[in-house]
Amino acid sequence: MTVPQTTPSPQDPPYLRGLNEPQREAVLTSEGPVLVLAGAGTGKTAALTARLAHLLYTRKAWPSEILSVTFTNKAAREMRERVGRLVGDAVEGMPWLGTFHAIGAKMLRRHAELVGLQSNFTILDTDDQLRLMKQLIVAANLDEKRFPARQLAGVIDSWKNKGMTPADVDAGESERFANGRGGELYQQYQDRLKAVNACDFGDLLLHVLTILRTHRDVLEQYQQRFRYIMVDEYQDTNSVQYLWLRLLAQERKNICCVGDDDQSIYSWRGAQVENILRFERDFPGAKVIRLEQNYRSTPHILGAAGGVIANNSGRLGKQLWTELDAGEKVRVIGVWDGPEEARRVGEEMEACRRSGKSYDEMAILVRAQHQTREFEDRFIAIGLPYRIVGGQRFYERMEIRDAIAYLRVVNQPADDLAFERIVNVPKRGLGDKAVSTVHRYARATGSPLMTAAARILDTDELTGAARKSLGRLVGDIARWRDMARDLPHPELARQLLDESGYTAMWQAEKSAEAAGRLENLNELVRAMEEYDSLGAFLEHVSLVMDNEGSAQEPQVTIMTIHAAKGLEFDTVFLAGWEEGLFPSQRSLDEGGLASLEEERRLAYVAITRARRLAVILHAANRRIYGQWTSSLPSRFVGELPAEHIDAETTMAGGESLWRANWSERADPFADVNRGTGRGPGWQRAASSGSTFTRDAPRVIESRASAVSLGNKGRSDVSLGLRVFHQKFGYGTIAAIEGNKLEIDFETGGRKRVLDSFVTVG
């Protein structure tokens, strides 16, 4: 695809030079509503900056008459610096260039009295919010453990993101917390904030929205002030931001929103892709300008990403193209399991380095934080330098440190640092005074804290409640030490986390962050299975924690796909493209079709981070909760156009190969809500032999999606045969279809499994 380029004119102002025709159109179309659909890597920041410079350069508005909204302070600073280089000091007079919250705070301080605040109100941080909510929960005689403050904070924040005041919370919404008391606590929280002249970040926009809705004179003042409104990353706006912008733009309608409906990936924090999809309905006669020339990636990368995202129905549509050379096709590699995936990526990266590429230009993108652990362990073993971006190294994460502290105390009761960390985590009623008493007793007797804690139970040094709580912890640690003699250490860790209440603490939080922490804890237990003993595992952790590479040396970047948005690398490895992992089964279960489309947008973002080479990996097996589980390649692998990919399968003699065939159907999502996670077009055919040929565009090669229990190429199965399955136990074969069996299990009902998963019982 070729688009005619505008020949630059010597008379062009500096901000127009180097822009392609659609970018120039976005800059020069100053009047009326404009939606700029800017695909990945199409230079949207250059167009947005030039548009702002154009409004100032042509004197269409004074700097104070332009509202320019960004999502991050970094983006606001970059915008100000770029415009300053183009038009000089005029940008310094732009008081309304900033983030949603910064602009909301400026407006709110001007009109604070209209919502019961004073102009010098305090903006609470997260800790202050939680402290206040905890007080309200206690005053309401609610169980803090069952209804934690952090969960209430999440619920209230979601209401504020939707533009809902306490009066807007009906009985149905109120059921989201404390059996219907959510709305009541929300009202009490807001009343308390006003009483102390404070607000939280959600209020910075919600209060302003309330003012604009209820005070016509204030609304008209801002509608007249802002001759032009510009919004970056419009696909990431939530409801309250959308309503706020729509009110301000209704009078002049000179609003320009820049965004990409194919990169809306933040619904979990309130973003609504529908806002960008309905722009033309909100502003009839709006001009839609598509930026489709990509300056980042090769044609094969763009073709692969475009083939995947084309399967979404909720999009406005565009086709990215580039003048760059075709480059390498996107590589799709099937491996046996997670450890092999880490080994393979390490080998590929070392090969890239030997060919002259820098580690700084390589990245691994994962769907979930817990996936980084195997890569970290592997890279440390082979001395490959890496950095974690947008998060901590696996063993540095709070929940992992807490869990390891419990294990350290069990392994070595004299470990005072570990005991200090877990003595009141989760909260068990041991305040600073009680802990200080234990410390004092330990120093006086010259004994470890654990020993001092056990001895002090026989004294009156502690209150009855504190003595009871401490006694329970000391008893639990002693019991876990006894269990450690006979129980495998991964199982010990699993029981310890459950019995200590640590797992329940995160389960009660009901947030996306808590769900990620639980996944990390499961990965920790899984990691322990690779070591002979608890002591060997803890020694490994110590070596990992002590292995800090030099920040100056080139390092591979490891990060989640969410954290990678806006970034780019020469070579990108996309790991874990399997059903249930990506797309996330949890997301599909919670959000159905809408979540599937967001997961697909996430796949699009992932592929388009690559400039020269993208490598997608999927494993035939993953170990989850201590069980080997077979995995099918992600449906997104099946959606990759054949002409843009090279598929490779890791093979071993005698192991069966699988071919996953995704055929197109009218409703490819039909089975998701029935719990399969696959549409009806998901067909699997077994094949033996050493090679595969691609006989349809939707066919991808993969290594065996089964874990052999010692039976390969079975021919000895028959109806009525009693068999054993590692996960489901004993059962009887009820039906046979190729190498797929339907088995009536004695405890689990009828299940469909692969014959290589069972042994004759």
Side-chain angles (χ1 to χ4, degrees):
M1 177 178 181
T2 303
V3 173
Q5 300 296 294
T6 300
T7 302
S9 167
Q11 287 74 42
D12 278 347
Y15 55 81
L16 288 179
R17 296 170 192 166
L19 299 184
N20 61 39
E21 184 57 33
Q23 288 174 322
R24 289 173 65 96
E25 186 180 11
V27 171
L28 299 176
T29 308
S30 58
E31 308 306 306
V34 178
L35 175 62
V36 180
L37 282 179
T42 57
K44 63 105 174 173
T45 303
L48 190 61
T49 303
R51 180 184 173 89
L52 183 52
H54 176 68
L55 296 176
L56 296 172
Y57 185 85
T58 58
R59 305 288 180 88
K60 288 181 177 293
W62 293 107
S64 61
E65 294 175 323
I66 302 173
L67 172 62
S68 184
V69 188
T70 65
F71 263 82
T72 66
N73 290 315
K74 179 182 177 182
R77 285 194 303 272
E78 182 180 355
M79 180 78 70
R80 193 176 295 276
E81 291 168 1
R82 285 194 179 200
V83 176
R85 288 195 293 269
L86 293 172
V87 297
D89 295 338
V91 71
E92 296 304 322
M94 294 193 65
W96 303 104
L97 190 163
T99 65
F100 276 101
H101 289 101
I103 293 170
K106 185 186 294 288
M107 289 182 173
L108 185 56
R109 292 204 185 276
R110 293 186 173 197
H111 311 284
E113 72 282 353
L114 298 180
V115 287
L117 295 172
Q118 300 172 37
S119 61
N120 63 342
F121 60 80
T122 300
I123 302 173
L124 298 188
D125 61 19
T126 302
D127 288 343
D128 289 335
Q129 282 180 261
L130 294 176
R131 191 176 300 111
L132 176 53
M133 290 182 182
K134 182 178 179 181
Q135 293 171 2
L136 296 175
I137 290 169
V138 170
N141 293 317
L142 293 171
D143 184 350
E144 295 176 67
K145 292 183 179 179
R146 186 178 178 191
F147 305 112
R150 195 173 294 274
Q151 182 184 350
L152 178 60
V155 171
I156 290 178
D157 185 60
S158 71
W159 285 333
K160 292 184 177 183
N161 285 339
K162 294 176 183 177
M164 298 170 63
T165 66
D168 299 319
V169 177
D170 59 23
E173 280 286 337
S174 193
E175 286 291 335
R176 293 178 60 189
F177 187 79
N179 301 322
R181 300 186 67 180
E184 167 196 339
L185 290 167
Y186 182 15
Q187 182 65 68
Q188 292 175 8
Y189 174 65
Q190 293 301 98
D191 291 343
R192 181 62 179 155
L193 286 177
K194 289 181 181 179
V196 298
N197 192 35
C199 65
D200 60 27
F201 276 90
D203 288 327
L204 296 178
L205 288 173
L206 182 61
H207 281 329
V208 173
L209 179 63
T210 300
I211 291 169
L212 297 178
R213 281 172 161 173
T214 57
H215 293 81
R216 183 71 188 178
D217 58 327
V218 177
L219 173 61
E220 291 176 349
Q221 171 189 334
Y222 284 109
Q223 287 178 336
Q224 291 300 315
R225 171 186 291 275
F226 298 135
R227 290 181 176 271
Y228 297 95
I229 297 175
M230 296 171 54
V231 187
D232 192 12
E233 304 286 8
Y234 190 60
Q235 78 280 349
D236 292 334
T237 53
N238 59 31
S239 292
V240 70
Q241 292 163 341
Y242 160 78
L243 294 168
W244 182 80
L245 287 167
R246 195 176 64 173
L247 277 173
L248 293 173
Q250 280 305 312
E251 180 66 24
R252 296 183 183 273
K253 294 184 170 59
N254 288 335
I255 181 170
C256 174
C257 293
V258 181
D260 185 1
D261 51 328
D262 291 335
Q263 296 190 74
S264 180
I265 59 174
Y266 296 118
S267 66
W268 47 274
R269 64 186 190 196
Q272 293 189 314
V273 69
E274 293 82 4
N275 295 346
I276 195 170
L277 298 178
R278 65 186 173 206
F279 185 87
E280 293 177 273
R281 295 198 301 273
D282 289 335
F283 299 98
K287 186 166 191 174
V288 178
I289 300 171
R290 288 171 167 81
L291 303 186
E292 297 175 308
Q293 183 177 0
N294 179 280
Y295 297 94
R296 175 192 298 161
S297 305
T298 64
H300 282 310
I301 291 171
L302 297 182
V308 172
I309 200 63
N311 289 274
N312 270 6
S313 59
R315 63 190 295 259
L316 297 171
K318 58 188 170 303
Q319 183 177 351
L320 300 188
W321 63 278
T322 182
E323 294 180 338
L324 298 175
D325 294 336
E328 291 188 59
K329 290 185 177 183
V330 172
R331 294 170 58 195
V332 179
I333 300 176
V335 297
W336 180 241
D337 57 16
E340 184 180 337
E341 179 183 57
R343 288 194 299 272
R344 183 63 185 270
V345 170
E347 291 167 0
E348 294 282 343
M349 286 183 160
E350 290 179 322
C352 287
R353 179 67 184 88
R354 288 193 296 271
S355 70
K357 297 178 181 178
S358 170
Y359 284 139
D360 281 337
E361 289 300 332
M362 304 178 206
I364 301 171
L365 306 185
V366 297
R367 175 62 182 86
Q369 285 275 5
H370 68 82
Q371 290 175 257
T372 70
R373 201 275 308 169
E374 282 183 333
F375 292 106
E376 291 186 66
D377 281 0
R378 179 61 183 168
F379 291 177
I380 287 169
I382 64 176
L384 196 156
Y386 72 94
R387 68 171 72 88
I388 301 291
V389 174
Q392 296 173 302
R393 291 171 178 250
F394 183 81
Y395 293 108
E396 292 174 349
R397 293 167 189 159
M398 179 183 69
E399 65 278 9
I400 300 302
R401 282 181 175 270
D402 288 344
I404 288 174
Y406 270 103
L407 295 170
R408 283 167 53 188
V409 171
V410 170
N411 187 64
Q412 173 51 266
D415 190 333
D416 284 357
L417 293 177
F419 183 82
E420 281 183 285
R421 186 176 183 97
I422 59 94
V423 68
N424 205 32
V425 178
K427 298 292 185 183
R428 47 176 59 93
L430 292 171
D432 292 341
K433 184 177 180 181
V435 175
S436 177
T437 300
V438 175
H439 269 280
R440 190 168 60 251
Y441 191 90
R443 288 195 301 270
T445 59
S447 57
L449 288 175
M450 180 66 184
T451 303
R455 291 174 179 171
I456 208 171
L457 295 174
D458 296 326
T459 73
D460 295 324
E461 296 286 345
L462 300 177
T463 65
R467 188 162 58 247
K468 182 178 180 181
S469 295
L470 184 62
R472 189 179 301 116
L473 174 63
V474 169
D476 283 342
I477 293 173
R479 181 167 51 82
W480 294 327
R481 282 182 57 77
D482 288 340
M483 291 167 56
R485 297 188 181 96
D486 303 311
L487 197 65
H489 53 285
E491 183 59 30
L492 171 68
R494 192 175 289 112
Q495 286 195 217
L496 183 156
L497 291 170
D498 287 344
E499 294 173 3
S500 66
Y502 193 77
T503 299
M505 179 184 76
W506 291 116
Q507 288 172 335
E509 188 171 307
K510 308 295 184 185
S511 68
E513 181 185 48
R517 295 188 190 280
L518 288 168
E519 289 176 346
N520 290 339
L521 291 172
N522 289 328
E523 177 63 18
L524 174 70
V525 174
R526 202 208 68 71
M528 295 177 67
E529 298 168 0
E530 301 173 13
Y531 298 88
D532 293 335
S533 66
L534 176 58
F537 172 71
L538 293 175
E539 181 177 330
H540 164 75
V541 172
S542 298
L543 294 173
V544 168
M545 297 289 280
D546 191 47
N547 192 347
E548 278 292 337
S550 169
Q552 284 73 42
E553 67 177 328
Q555 296 175 318
V556 167
T557 297
I558 306 176
M559 63 199 313
T560 64
I561 303 171
H562 282 100
K565 186 172 178 290
L567 302 179
E568 57 187 72
F569 304 88
D570 273 354
T571 304
V572 173
F573 294 85
L574 307 174
W577 280 45
E578 300 131 30
E579 283 294 301
L581 184 54
F582 188 40
S584 161
Q585 190 62 51
R586 177 159 52 87
S587 293
L588 298 186
D589 292 343
E590 293 174 357
L593 179 59
S595 288
L596 173 60
E597 297 221 334
E598 178 154 327
E599 291 286 300
R600 188 175 282 114
R601 293 194 292 270
L602 201 56
Y604 171 84
V605 168
I607 297 171
T608 56
R609 297 312 93 194
R611 288 193 289 254
R612 296 291 175 264
L613 175 63
V615 181
I616 296 171
L617 299 103
H618 58 89
N621 309 285
R622 293 278 178 189
R623 199 158 194 177
I624 302 173
Y625 307 122
Q627 296 280 349
W628 278 108
T629 302
S630 63
S631 303
L632 285 172
S634 167
R635 70 191 70 199
F636 304 148
V637 174
E639 292 169 357
L640 294 165
E643 63 270 23
H644 294 299
I645 67 170
D646 278 329
E648 172 188 340
T649 302
T650 302
M651 299 171 56
E655 290 178 350
S656 63
L657 293 175
W658 285 83
R659 179 169 56 195
N661 180 4
W662 293 263
S663 61
E664 300 203 32
R665 301 291 180 91
D667 181 13
F669 194 77
D671 284 346
V672 167
N673 289 327
R674 292 198 291 270
T676 66
R678 299 187 293 277
W682 192 286
Q683 300 174 351
R684 288 171 288 169
S687 176
S688 60
S690 60
T691 61
F692 267 109
T693 58
R694 181 180 293 282
D695 54 10
R698 296 286 178 181
V699 175
I700 196 71
E701 298 173 357
S702 165
R703 194 170 177 180
S705 296
V707 180
S708 174
L709 300 181
N711 299 285
K712 295 187 172 126
R714 295 177 57 98
S715 59
D716 57 345
V717 295
S718 59
L719 294 178
L721 183 68
R722 190 167 188 261
V723 294
F724 176 78
H725 187 281
Q726 189 178 23
K727 180 176 181 181
F728 303 120
Y730 287 97
T732 303
I733 298 177
I736 303 173
E737 180 185 345
N739 66 338
K740 293 184 284 294
L741 311 176
E742 287 192 15
I743 300 176
D744 289 324
F745 288 101
E746 295 172 2
T747 58
R750 180 166 292 194
K751 306 285 184 184
R752 200 176 193 205
V753 302
L754 300 175
D755 62 6
S756 56
F757 272 65
V758 301
T759 54
V760 177

